């Protein structure tokens, strides 16, 4: 394939978005859940791939695409079509058959494809705005199965939708921004380029992508930026700033500054706004002025720094404050007093304590999980499949769990370079009890417990259930403690103070689930948990071997929560972890 065709090839994120849209359109059209689910799963798989589909296709054509777990023949053919033509005929056909705005309506909590079809067929409603208008004016209550109450619920759902959908997930923005920065760095006129804004601070969601560059030839750099294959349209262009919209619909702002101003500009555009305001107030007290152009001694306005961020902070007598901490939540005071946390990094992680296999609802075999973990340099990985009280996720019966423990023992023989821990993700029932009897739980290496049902329960009940599991001597980790799914589901009404207190007292770890739409516990809660003396497990909950790499999103979130390696049990080497788990050496070895 000629080079020019290559660069305009569709990205993984664009292909995933197209497949997801197919699934959603089929759902509205009333297709079987099986077909719909196949597209959804393929999209999820593609989003978690660390390699470009284009590269995989170049190496092994259609066959290679099909060998990616979760991608069947017809999906692989659609991917091939998108890679080679940049289009998907099937999606275009589906779009023709239904208005596109119907698809976004699926994302309103409480509004499913059946209702969308009803509103469309009966009232011609095609958009969220039209739906909102109809609900406000009592226009829906006469329809079959609808009432004034359901109109009220729809309005609530629309409010929740707006709250969640103004921002995009870090994991959707980061790979794209990394590519853009990588491309810019290859430009001969470019000196430096970095992500800035909330993306550089690794916030869980991103408003827009900010990129900063330095060059003596800003026009050339902006021209190159605007002609990147990811760019769909240029929104605005000035002397030093260009804003574009990508084909995936994200806004990217590029600013190009002079090299001697780069540090001051990077500091300014990294933010947060609150951090910047506080820093600038502090500067005034030192008779300094900090702006995006540099640091100036007042009143003479003599420029004293600006080329690097270190320099900017040093003029205030501060060490460089890591971008992840710049939220004005005490980091400036901590820096001044020399007590910034020693943040943990991905290299500190020794293993993953929450991974699923094809024994329950996930793709990989135990062996594939082991190999992926070895690839990441881990010392251990825990297989913690679902348990039988969650049949929809293929939960293991007691007998299946025993069989799996044997299979894990065999895999440990096969892979001496890593220890595969036998675990389980048990379900916390309404009374705080979990699957399996004590004898079986005691034979595992590690037990994690999750709330998987009853999300709508009141605060007292959901808190009591969780604390019940925390108090269980056979449970070491509580998974995704607030149950939120970014953009989809609010956290449940749980009393985290009470949970933290119980977890500290019973030495039960709470999970930081690294799945990009969970990140649960979130940054602020991690910090509170740490203050309460709670240990954290940074797990991925991977359902695909590639997803073990999501640990990176967990680690940056942990950094935002001021966590240090000692706070996180899976930074411990195996023996120390075993000591913490308190189970001694175990039968799986
Ligand atoms: P986002 O895009 O909503 O996820 O959040 P940010 O933090 O990326 O915010 P954005 O894109 O509006 O602006 C990028 C950075 O520019 C921000 O983090 C700090 C800086 N900035 C923006 N507005 C102001 C301001 O009014 N004052 C100061 N000191 N800095 C600002
Ligand atoms: Ca931004
Ligand atoms: Ca911006
Ligand atoms: Zn799980």
């Amino acid at each position: 394939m000629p080079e020019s065709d290559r660069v305009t090839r569709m990205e993984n994120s664009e292909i995933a978005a197209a497949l997801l849209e197919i699934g959603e359109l089929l759902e509205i059209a009333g297709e079987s859940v099986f077909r719909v689910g196949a597209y959804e799963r393929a999209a999820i798989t593609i989003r978690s791939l660390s390699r470009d589909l284009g590269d995989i296709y170049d190496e092994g054509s259609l066959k290679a695409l099909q060998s990616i777990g979760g991608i069947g023949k017809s999906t692989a053919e659609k991917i091939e079509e998108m890679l080679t033509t940049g289009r998907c005929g099937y999606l275009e056909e589906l779009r023709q058959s239904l208005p596109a705005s119907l698809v976004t309506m699926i994302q309103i909590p409480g509004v499913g494809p059946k209702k969308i079809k009803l509103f469309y067929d009966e009232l011609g409603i095609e958009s969220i705005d039209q739906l909102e208008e109809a609900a406000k004016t009592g226009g829906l209550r006469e329809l079959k199965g609808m009432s004034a109450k359901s109109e009220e619920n729809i309005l609530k759902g629309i409010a929740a939708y707006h709250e969640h959908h103004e921002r995009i997930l870090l994991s959707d923005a980061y790979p794209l921004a990394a590519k853009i920065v990588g491309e810019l760095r290859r430009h001969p006129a470019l000196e430096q380029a970095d992500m800035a804004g909330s993306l550089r601070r690794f916030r869980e969601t991103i408003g827009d992508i900010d990129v900063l560059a330095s060059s003596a030839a800003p026009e050339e750099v902006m021209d190159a930026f605007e002609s990147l294959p990811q760019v769909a349209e240029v929104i605005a262009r000035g002397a030093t700033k260009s804003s574009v919209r990508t084909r995936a619909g994200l806004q990217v702002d590029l600013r190009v500054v002079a090299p001697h101003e780069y540090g001051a500009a990077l500091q300014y555009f990294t933010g947060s706004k609150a951090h910047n305001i506080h820093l600038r107030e502090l500067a005034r007290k030192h008779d300094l002025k900090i702006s995006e152009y540099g640091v100036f001694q007042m009143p003479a306005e003599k420029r004293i720094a600006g080329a690097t961020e270190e320099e900017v902070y040093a003029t205030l007598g501060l060490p460089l404050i890591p971008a992840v901490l710049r939220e004005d939540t005490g980091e400036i005071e901590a820096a001044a007093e020399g007590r910034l946390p020693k943040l943990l990094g991905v290299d500190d992680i020794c293993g993953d304590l929450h991974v699923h296999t094809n024994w329950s609802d996930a793709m990989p075999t135990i062996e594939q999980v082991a190999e992926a973990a070895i690839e990441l340099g881990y010392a251990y990985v825990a297989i913690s499949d679902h348990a039988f009280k969650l049949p929809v996720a293929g939960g293991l019966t007691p007998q299946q769990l025993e069989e799996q423990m044997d299979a894990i023992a065999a895999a440990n023989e096969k892979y001496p370079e890593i220890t595969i821990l036998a675990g389980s993700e048990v379900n916390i029932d309404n009374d705080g009890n979990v699957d399996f009897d004590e004898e079986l739980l005691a034979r595992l290496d590690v037990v994690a417990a999750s709330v998987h049902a009853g999300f709508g329960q009141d605060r007292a009940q959901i808190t009591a259930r969780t604390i019940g599991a925390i108090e269980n001597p056979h449970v070491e980790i509580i998974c995704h403690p607030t149950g939120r799914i970014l953009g989809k589901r609010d956290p449940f009404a749980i009393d985290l103070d009470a949970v933290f207190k119980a977890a500290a007292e019973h030495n039960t770890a709470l999970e930081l689930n690294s799945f990009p739409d969970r990140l649960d516990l979130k940054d602020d809660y991690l910090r509170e948990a740490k203050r309460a003396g709670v240990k954290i497990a940074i797990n991925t909950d991977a359902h695909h071997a590639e997803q073990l790499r999501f640990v990176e999103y967990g680690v940056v979130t942990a950094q935002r929560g001021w966590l240090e390696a000692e706070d996180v049990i899976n930074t411990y080497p195996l023996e120390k972890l075993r000591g913490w788990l308190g189970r001694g050496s175990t039968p799986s070895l």
Side-chain angles (χ1 to χ4, degrees), residues 36 45 128 145 226 245 255 289 291 305 319 357 374 503 509 530 554:
V36 171
T45 298
I128 294 176
E226 288 166 10
R245 190 168 311 285
R255 289 176 190 79
K289 188 179 101 184
S291 77
T357 71
I374 291 167
K530 178 184 167 113

Side-chain angles (χ1 to χ4, degrees), residues 167 196-199 201 203 205-210 253 255 268-273 276-277 280:
R167 305 181 64 81
S198 52
L199 195 53
R201 305 196 312 279
R203 274 195 64 181
T205 60
I206 305 298
D208 66 356
I209 296 175
D210 297 285
D253 292 344
R255 289 176 190 79
Y268 180 86
F269 290 113
T270 297
S272 66
K273 189 172 164 180
N276 285 354
I277 290 171
R280 280 149 179 70

Side-chain angles (χ1 to χ4, degrees), residues 354-356 384 386 425 450 452 479-480 511 513 541-543:
H354 182 177
V355 178
H356 294 272
S384 46
H386 291 290
E425 180 181 6
S450 305
H452 279 136
C479 300
H480 37 74
E511 182 178 75
N513 187 298
D541 202 353
H543 282 65

Side-chain angles (χ1 to χ4, degrees), residues 219-374:
E219 296 287 339
E220 278 178 43
V221 173
M222 287 190 290
D223 287 345
F225 171 65
E226 288 166 10
S227 50
L228 286 173
Q230 293 86 357
V231 171
E233 59 167 325
V234 177
I235 304 167
R237 162 97 180 221
T240 60
K241 180 180 165 177
S242 168
S243 293
V244 300
R245 190 168 311 285
T246 68
R247 292 196 300 199
L250 310 184
Q251 183 178 327
V252 186
D253 292 344
L254 170 72
R255 289 176 190 79
V256 189
V257 304
H260 72 280
E261 294 172 340
Y262 191 71
L266 187 57
Q267 195 290 318
Y268 180 86
F269 290 113
T270 297
S272 66
K273 189 172 164 180
H275 174 90
N276 285 354
I277 290 171
H278 188 162
L279 203 70
R280 280 149 179 70
E281 275 168 14
L282 190 65
R284 265 194 292 281
K285 289 184 191 145
H286 288 74
D287 288 322
L288 296 171
K289 188 179 101 184
I290 298 182
S291 77
E292 64 213 84
Y293 306 108
V295 185
F296 302 87
Q297 183 71 60
M298 303 306 279
E301 292 219 38
K302 180 175 177 290
R303 192 167 189 285
I304 58 168
T308 68
E309 279 193 318
E310 280 89 347
E311 243 176 63
V312 172
Y313 284 96
T315 60
L316 296 174
L318 300 176
L320 179 75
I321 299 177
V324 282
L325 299 182
R326 299 183 198 168
E327 300 290 348
D328 194 26
T329 52
E331 73 281 5
I332 294 175
E333 294 84 348
E337 292 161 22
R339 48 176 184 79
L340 282 173
K342 190 173 176 306
L343 299 178
L344 82 164
V346 179
D347 291 346
D348 291 316
I349 301 292
C350 294
D352 196 325
L353 298 174
H354 182 177
V355 178
H356 294 272
T357 71
N358 61 352
W359 285 70
S360 66
D361 63 346
M363 295 302 303
T365 60
I366 293 169
E367 285 75 14
Q368 284 167 335
V369 169
E371 285 165 18
I374 291 167

